[in-house]
Amino acid sequence: MIRPVAFGFNEQTAASNAFQNKIIDSNAQEHALQEFDRFVKVLRDNGVDVTVIDDTLKPHTPDSIFPNNWVSFHADGNIFLYPMQAENRRLERREDIISIVEDSFKVNRIEDLSRFEIEGKYLEGTGSMVLDRKNKIAYACLSPRTNIDVLNQFCEETDYKAVTFAAFDQNHTAIYHTNVLMGVGSRFAVICLDSIENVNEKDKVVASLKANGKEIIAISFDQMNHFAGNLLEVKNQAGETLIVMSATAYNAFNEQQKALLSNYGKLIYADINTIETIGGGSARCMMAEVHLPVV
């Protein structure tokens, strides 16, 4: 997780991210920092091993708090770096962060897909893709930030299968990242099925989830807009399963949905309202989970 030093509204990403809100908050950095630190404390209090790395003032990277878009770490020892649409988000890729990870984990190779940026093709990590790591399936809603050619390259190199579709919000605006409309755990999937307008594509996604043993927990547009799809299943140091989300997301679920989710792990959450409102991302986006083998 990347601790912010200059968090703020990113003008370069706003055109494609309907979840961002340009509000006047002269203390946005201070508020985001407080929320970040509280979130990390909640994770650590629940036994999660969290590596926190401070952002740098230069270059200016207002979205650095969302590292899952530029890097992913895999159980086979491979690290992937991704092509980012916004020029100021490309600056988030830092070799020193990779070096810190290499101190504690075994790294086989680093695959840099950022070369696709010169072609205007992007794949923003586990924002663009929601990975079913056990079954090696990459769910992806295609968008300006999620290019099919880069997705196919990722799948070719990882032996994943892509399940693609188009997704739109209640205003028929294309959804910028897959991980705001769905989250996939080992035995469940939270998804806004209403966002997939094409019936055949919707049926394909549902069939894939069911075939791989996922209980589907459907959420509404309103719940999606409150980041209910932006959650992540993690393991703590005791091997217990946790389902991590924001307080906004937790409060958006009804009691029946919370009970269903609780069958698959302990629900933990934190208030990150400033980060969500101005940054347009939530709890899942803030965590770049490490599946690499431990040294």
Side-chain angles (χ1 to χ4, degrees):
M1 296 178 69
I2 308 299
R3 195 167 188 259
V5 296
F7 174 82
F9 184 82
N10 190 346
E11 297 280 0
Q12 293 187 23
T13 59
S16 60
N17 183 349
F19 290 78
Q20 285 180 239
N21 295 277
K22 190 173 184 179
I23 63 173
I24 303 301
D25 183 354
S26 59
N27 296 312
Q29 161 58 25
E30 178 183 346
H31 294 153
L33 184 60
Q34 292 171 352
E35 292 173 0
F36 177 91
D37 288 341
R38 286 197 300 265
F39 185 21
V40 170
K41 185 177 187 301
V42 167
L43 291 169
R44 288 176 170 164
D45 286 350
N46 282 276
V48 179
D49 181 12
V50 183
T51 299
V52 174
I53 298 172
D54 288 329
D55 191 17
T56 56
L57 279 173
K58 294 183 179 181
H60 177 49
T61 51
D63 276 340
S64 62
I65 202 167
F66 304 129
N68 80 307
N69 298 136
W70 68 264
V71 66
S72 64
F73 307 97
H74 299 263
D76 58 4
N78 294 335
I79 297 175
F80 278 79
L81 307 180
Y82 295 97
M84 310 283 283
Q85 185 185 50
E87 291 186 12
N88 62 9
R89 294 218 63 191
R90 300 171 193 177
L91 303 173
E92 296 172 27
R93 294 189 295 259
R94 288 169 46 188
E95 291 182 6
D96 63 310
I97 293 177
I98 302 300
S99 297
I100 291 170
V101 172
E102 287 179 310
D103 288 340
S104 301
F105 298 92
K106 296 178 183 176
V107 175
N108 175 29
R109 68 183 176 91
I110 299 172
E111 181 60 40
D112 190 352
L113 298 177
S114 67
R115 63 185 182 275
F116 281 96
E117 286 170 353
I118 62 173
E119 300 177 38
K121 297 176 179 179
Y122 313 110
L123 184 73
E124 297 188 337
T126 53
S128 289
M129 304 178 292
V130 171
L131 300 180
D132 178 350
R133 292 179 184 258
K134 178 182 177 182
N135 298 294
K136 305 199 84 169
I137 297 172
Y139 295 94
C141 69
L142 300 180
S143 73
R145 300 204 200 178
T146 304
N147 178 272
I148 187 66
D149 294 336
V150 195
L151 176 64
N152 288 338
Q153 183 67 34
F154 170 84
C155 290
E156 181 179 326
E157 297 189 22
T158 58
D159 199 31
Y160 269 69
K161 174 189 174 184
V163 176
T164 61
F165 52 94
F168 305 90
D169 66 15
Q170 71 281 0
N171 300 316
H172 197 68
T173 300
I175 294 175
Y176 80 111
H177 274 165
T178 314
N179 75 357
V180 293
L181 72 95
M182 69 183 295
V184 174
S186 54
R187 295 183 294 148
F188 71 89
V190 173
I191 182 170
C192 182
L193 290 172
D194 291 340
S195 69
I196 308 175
E197 297 179 355
N198 183 286
V199 174
N200 292 332
E201 292 182 340
K202 183 183 303 188
D203 290 345
K204 178 179 64 175
V205 171
V206 169
S208 177
L209 291 169
K210 288 184 175 179
N212 289 286
K214 314 297 182 189
E215 178 176 11
I216 296 175
I217 300 171
I219 57 174
S220 66
F221 280 125
D222 183 64
Q223 289 175 314
M224 179 189 75
N225 292 333
H226 286 83
F227 295 103
N230 196 249
L231 45 73
L232 184 66
E233 178 184 292
V234 305
K235 295 278 189 182
N236 66 13
Q237 291 169 300
E240 299 166 327
T241 300
L242 311 174
I243 301 173
V244 185
M245 66 190 75
S246 70
T248 302
Y250 179 81
N251 291 327
F253 284 112
N254 62 42
E255 293 307 313
Q256 181 182 13
Q257 291 169 323
K258 291 175 185 176
L260 288 174
L261 273 174
S262 295
N263 291 329
Y264 302 110
K266 179 183 178 182
L267 309 186
I268 67 170
Y269 53 91
D271 181 358
I272 51 172
N273 183 65
T274 301
I275 295 168
E276 290 176 318
T277 303
I278 297 176
S282 189
R284 192 276 168 269
C285 306
M286 295 171 65
M287 297 178 285
E289 70 274 28
V290 182
H291 292 266
L292 299 167
V294 178
V295 170

